[in-house]
């Protein structure tokens, strides 16, 4: 997949072209075929903005699992690209268009990863699949009842619920499926850009930093320990019993940390939002803060 993804990005960027409908269609085709998620992505809509939202520019793309549909909001993306110049100083003139195309590509890869997660939940017994099953979002029944009383149809209610799930904010990224989709979409860009590291060194450094940044997202310090975002989220949803299926899990946080460290590497634990210790957290945080993205 990475070679085809790189070729698509390179062909557009080297010509000074920004992402368009043809790019999006080809990107989705590449990912769907590579991950064999044809049964989970059955349609694509490219439209303007979702004006039902308080801030229509806040939603760039969404995956609707019940409809197996990817929706791309091009006007919102165009607005984002016009105002997203914070890090442009990091890049050479050659890398500027590449940078903007990467922003859009990562957004779409993120949504396609949600489709892949549906496949994992249904078909896989991997650690990732087990975490996704344990943290699968629950339907807000009170909201459903309110929408029913308002006269919405079943289809309209489902769209409202899925749009809510798709909308991003800082807290939402800590939900395991969102966190994983963000990490893996950035990692896919790192894998692709690594093929031409000499041509886009700043972009590759930027994306590697994004991977570490998203891996650290959600970890907090509390009462002398580093809190795992995944375990904290699952426990907060009332599904803590689901954690018992993991052999390394222990209600005692110190024992749990020691257990999981004995079976999973630091990189694996960061990927899945599992326990890390203070030394590991400080080391990763220092690496992040010393990156070019944080020192420009």
């Amino acid at each position: 997949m990475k070679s085809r993804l790189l070729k698509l990005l390179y062909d557009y960027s080297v010509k000074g072209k920004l992402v368009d409908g043809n790019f999006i269609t080809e990107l989705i085709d590449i990912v769907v075929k590579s991950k064999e998620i044809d049964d989970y992505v059955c349609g694509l809509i490219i439209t303007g903005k979702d004006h039902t939202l308080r801030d229509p520019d806040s939603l760039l793309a969404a995956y609707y699992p019940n409809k197996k549909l990817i929706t791309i909001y091009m006007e919102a993306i165009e607005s984002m690209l016009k105002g997203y110049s914070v890090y442009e100083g990091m890049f050479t003139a050659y890398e500027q268009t590449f940078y903007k195309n990467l922003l859009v590509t990562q957004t779409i890869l993120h949504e396609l990863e949600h489709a892949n997660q549906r496949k994992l939940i249904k078909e896989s017994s991997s650690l990732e699949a087990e975490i996704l099953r344990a943290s699968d979002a629950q339907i807000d029944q009170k909201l459903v009842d309110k929408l029913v009383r308002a006269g919405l149809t079943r289809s309209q209610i489902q769209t409202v619920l899925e749009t809510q799930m798709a909308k991003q904010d800082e807290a939402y990224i800590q939900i395991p499926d969102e966190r994983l989709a963000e990490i893996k979409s950035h990692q896919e860009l790192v894998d692709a850009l690594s093929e031409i590291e000499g041509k886009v060194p700043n972009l590759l450094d930027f994306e590697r930093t994004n991977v570490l940044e998203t891996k650290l997202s959600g970890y907090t310090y509390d009462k002398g320990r580093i809190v795992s975002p995944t375990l904290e989220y699952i426990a907060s949803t009332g599904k803590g019993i689901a954690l018992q299926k993991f052999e390394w899990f222990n209600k005692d946080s110190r024992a749990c940390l020691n257990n999981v460290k004995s079976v999973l590497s630091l990189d694996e634990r960061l990927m899945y939002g599992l326990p890390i210790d203070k030394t590991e957290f400080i080391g990763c945080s220092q690496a992040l803060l010393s990156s070019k993205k944080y020192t420009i």
Side-chain angles (χ1 to χ4, degrees):
M1 180 179 109
K2 66 179 179 181
S3 296
R4 291 185 65 195
L5 172 58
L6 176 60
K7 184 178 186 305
L8 178 61
L9 273 167
Y10 186 85
D11 287 349
Y12 262 72
S13 302
V14 78
K15 295 173 184 176
K17 293 175 61 179
L18 292 176
V19 167
D20 58 17
N22 290 331
F23 180 103
I24 291 168
T25 301
E26 186 172 349
L27 172 61
I28 290 175
D29 182 66
I30 289 170
V31 177
V32 168
K33 288 181 178 177
S34 174
K35 296 185 177 182
E36 299 180 341
I37 51 175
D38 310 64
D39 292 340
Y40 301 88
V41 181
C42 300
L44 166 66
I45 294 176
I46 300 177
T47 186
K49 299 181 182 181
D50 186 345
H51 291 284
T52 65
L53 299 176
R54 180 175 299 175
D55 179 9
D57 285 333
S58 66
L59 187 61
L60 306 179
Y63 172 63
Y64 297 102
N66 282 8
K67 297 179 180 179
K68 301 178 180 179
L69 181 71
I70 297 282
T71 301
I72 310 295
Y73 298 98
M74 281 303 294
E75 288 181 13
I77 286 174
E78 289 164 3
S79 296
M80 179 268 291
L81 291 178
K82 288 177 183 176
Y84 211 102
S85 59
V86 178
Y87 299 109
E88 284 186 349
M90 281 186 62
F91 310 118
T92 65
Y94 175 78
E95 293 173 317
Q96 290 287 339
T97 303
F98 237 120
Y99 166 60
K100 291 183 177 180
N101 286 336
L102 282 177
L103 292 174
V104 182
T105 301
Q106 185 271 326
T107 296
I108 297 169
L109 289 174
H110 176 113
E111 297 307 326
L112 287 167
E113 183 56 31
H114 284 315
N116 188 52
Q117 289 171 347
R118 293 294 101 191
K119 177 183 176 181
L120 291 175
I121 287 172
K122 185 175 181 180
E123 303 177 17
S124 176
S125 59
S126 66
L127 173 61
E128 181 175 353
E130 292 293 352
I131 288 172
L132 290 169
R133 277 191 282 269
S135 59
D136 205 13
Q138 300 296 302
I139 292 175
D140 185 341
Q141 192 58 49
K142 289 183 179 179
L143 176 59
V144 171
D145 293 341
K146 184 177 180 180
L147 295 174
V148 169
R149 290 194 297 272
L152 273 68
T153 65
R154 180 178 298 178
S155 176
Q156 290 171 327
I157 291 171
Q158 188 60 47
T159 298
V160 169
L161 293 174
E162 290 180 347
T163 299
Q164 275 200 332
M165 291 175 64
K167 195 175 185 301
Q168 301 289 315
D169 59 43
E170 282 300 313
Y172 199 56
I173 202 66
Q174 296 171 22
I175 299 177
D177 65 340
E178 286 296 325
R179 196 174 171 283
L180 279 164
E182 194 73 358
I183 293 169
K184 293 178 79 173
S185 56
H186 281 296
Q187 185 61 55
E188 285 167 346
L189 292 179
V190 168
D191 294 342
L193 293 175
S194 295
E195 300 285 301
I196 55 168
E197 181 172 3
K199 293 184 178 181
V200 289
N202 299 307
L203 284 171
L204 184 56
D205 179 73
F206 183 77
E207 279 303 320
R208 283 174 173 160
T209 300
N210 285 336
V211 171
L212 179 57
E213 186 178 59
T214 51
K215 283 181 176 179
L216 284 173
S217 66
Y219 283 100
T220 56
Y221 184 80
D222 181 55
K223 297 178 182 178
R225 68 186 180 95
I226 305 300
V227 178
S228 154
T230 295
L231 301 191
E232 185 77 358
Y233 176 79
I234 293 173
S236 73
T237 61
K239 298 179 68 176
I241 189 67
L243 294 171
Q244 301 297 332
K245 69 177 63 178
F246 301 114
E247 292 183 0
W248 42 261
F249 178 73
N250 193 299
K251 289 183 179 180
D252 179 88
S253 60
R254 186 178 297 276
C256 186
L257 172 62
N258 290 334
N259 290 345
V260 75
K261 285 177 69 174
S262 71
V263 294
L264 296 175
S265 68
L266 172 60
D267 191 61
E268 289 172 316
R269 285 177 282 130
L270 286 170
M271 167 73 81
Y272 300 119
L274 300 177
I276 63 175
D277 63 33
K278 287 185 288 185
T279 301
E280 291 169 330
F281 180 76
I282 290 170
C284 291
S285 298
Q286 288 175 337
L288 182 65
L289 294 175
S290 65
S291 67
K292 190 172 181 180
K293 180 178 178 180
Y294 278 79
T295 55
I296 58 170

